[in-house]
Amino acid sequence: MAEEKKILYSGMQATGSLTLGNYLGALRNWINLNEEYECFFGVMDMHSITVRQNPTEFRQRARDLFALYVAAGLDPEKNCIYFQSHVSSHAELSWILNCYTYMGELNRMTQFKDKSAKHADNINAGLYTYPVLMAADILLYQADLVPVGKDQLQHLEITRDIAQRFNGIYGDVFTIPEAYTGKIGARVMSLQDPARKMSKSDENPNASIFLMDDGNVIRKKFKRAVTDSEAEVRYDVANKPGISNLMDIYSATTGKTLEEIEREFAGCGYGDFKGAVGDAVADLLTPLQERFAELKKDKEYIDRVIRANDEKAFYASQKTLRKVKKKIGFTEIIRC
Ligand code: TRP
């Protein structure tokens, strides 16, 4: 008998434009996972409304994120890629799990503390229970593995705690998920402040490479990247964080090792090196941008893929949700 594939779940928020960091650190590494795992990737639009969104832009962004998943190479026949808000099971399980999550646990979440400081005028309850919705996402699909960045590990930890608590009361309902530790993507830092992660929401437009930036903009941003006064291409994160970040990006983009890069640019100035990084990143992103532009023109195809995948996600998630409702003791729904 063929062994069942493990289930893998991840997603991104439909907020802001994706950066090179999102691509090299996450999206690109999702591409062939479906060979080994049964994969679900959500467009996490329900999480996005914990921060105020402009409806017109938000609608476009979420759809663009979906198309970008496909453009990046996630085969929609082999992966279930879908919109979180199209599958009502997420909201339902999230409410239920709220009742199995302690305020003390949520009070410890560092992302909540950071975001409340940043959006002091809108500290809403959704921002507070954000991790519970994320737990629902993961647990609905009985995921074994969750590829997430460091900043989301605490949310995965609380997901495990909630699942274990629930299972402790009702028996084995949820699979206890683990962080995916396979090939981990590059951690890309800001081009203007290499102590900080490259971010979608950086106020300085030169700090981030956006996936839709054109080649000349990309080259210009790399030319302006903050480095040091040494003029030696050498990997040393503590003393040369700017150059080390550019080396990480060049390595992730070309597949060359750090030693190879040091050798390639021995005796060269930073200008040559920055030029090479800019060219390599522009070359990497051009085919992605072309594919994305093509897909955007094919509304019918995207609509068809959305419909099919929403349905797959709904079906898979309802199986868990039905079980949860039964275990809790909700009365049976009777429909003719
Ligand atoms: N909170 C995640 C982020 O901002 C996105 C997310 C929502 C997610 N639900 C998830 C990631 C479930 C993995 C699994 O990066």
Side-chain angles (χ1 to χ4, degrees), residues 19-26 28-29 184-200 202 207-211 222 235 241-242 244-253 277 281 284:
T19 69
L20 183 65
N22 301 121
Y23 185 61
L24 295 179
R28 190 177 69 159
N29 308 290
I184 308 245
R187 189 170 154 83
V188 177
M189 312 306 281
S190 155
L191 299 186
Q192 293 297 315
D193 176 3
R196 294 195 347 227
K197 223 172 102 168
M198 186 178 281
S199 154
K200 292 174 186 172
D202 206 305
S208 312
I209 302 287
F210 295 102
L211 295 188
F222 278 110
Y235 198 78
S244 302
N245 183 37
L246 296 185
M247 288 178 73
D248 278 330
I249 293 172
Y250 191 62
S251 169
T253 307
V277 182
V281 170
L284 177 78

Side-chain angles (χ1 to χ4, degrees), residues 9-13 44 47 130 134 137-138 146-148 152:
Y9 191 98
S10 199
M12 282 185 197
Q13 279 201 59
M44 299 311 187
H47 279 107
Y130 178 114
M134 184 158 157
D137 301 336
I138 297 167
V146 184
V148 279
Q152 296 296 316

Side-chain angles (χ1 to χ4, degrees), residues 98-320:
N98 266 316
C99 304
Y100 297 82
T101 306
Y102 297 118
M103 293 186 56
E105 289 177 296
L106 292 174
N107 287 338
R108 286 198 294 272
M109 296 292 119
T110 57
Q111 183 176 291
F112 172 68
K113 291 182 205 165
D114 293 348
K115 286 201 178 171
S116 332
K118 214 168 143 193
H119 304 279
D121 55 338
N122 183 19
I123 306 179
N124 60 72
L127 201 58
Y128 187 61
T129 59
Y130 178 114
V132 184
L133 177 59
M134 184 158 157
D137 301 336
I138 297 167
L139 300 177
L140 272 173
Y141 300 89
Q142 304 289 350
D144 299 283
L145 295 166
V146 184
V148 279
K150 257 198 203 146
D151 59 326
Q152 296 296 316
L153 280 176
Q154 200 183 26
H155 292 163
L156 184 58
E157 211 41 61
I158 196 175
T159 299
R160 291 165 53 89
D161 291 342
I162 296 168
Q164 264 151 356
R165 180 171 310 130
F166 198 93
N167 285 356
I169 304 170
Y170 301 107
D172 279 343
V173 177
F174 297 126
T175 302
I176 309 298
E178 281 174 32
Y180 172 74
T181 51
K183 197 171 145 255
I184 308 245
R187 189 170 154 83
V188 177
M189 312 306 281
S190 155
L191 299 186
Q192 293 297 315
D193 176 3
R196 294 195 347 227
K197 223 172 102 168
M198 186 178 281
S199 154
K200 292 174 186 172
S201 52
D202 206 305
E203 271 141 40
N204 182 344
N206 286 319
S208 312
I209 302 287
F210 295 102
L211 295 188
M212 291 302 140
D213 281 348
D214 90 18
N216 290 330
V217 172
I218 293 174
R219 288 184 194 91
K220 219 178 282 165
K221 286 184 180 176
F222 278 110
K223 288 275 182 214
R224 291 185 185 146
V226 167
T227 51
D228 53 67
S229 55
E230 222 185 48
E232 190 191 358
V233 179
R234 180 166 50 82
Y235 198 78
D236 179 348
V237 177
N239 298 307
K240 296 163 74 69
I243 281 294
S244 302
N245 183 37
L246 296 185
M247 288 178 73
D248 278 330
I249 293 172
Y250 191 62
S251 169
T253 307
T254 60
K256 293 176 185 171
T257 65
L258 298 173
E259 295 76 45
E260 282 168 340
I261 297 168
E262 286 178 359
R263 244 177 287 132
E264 183 178 349
F265 294 96
C268 293
Y270 285 168
D272 290 344
F273 176 53
K274 286 175 165 182
V277 182
D279 287 341
V281 170
D283 287 350
L284 177 78
L285 297 185
T286 303
L288 175 71
Q289 294 170 350
E290 288 171 357
R291 179 94 187 96
F292 177 72
E294 266 169 42
L295 279 169
K296 274 194 75 143
K297 277 189 261 164
D298 201 347
K299 182 171 181 305
E300 221 174 282
Y301 170 72
I302 293 288
D303 284 350
R304 184 155 27 92
V305 168
I306 291 176
R307 211 176 314 121
N309 278 295
D310 280 355
E311 217 168 281
K312 266 195 276 178
F314 184 74
Y315 179 80
S317 62
Q318 282 290 315
K319 234 167 113 179
T320 302

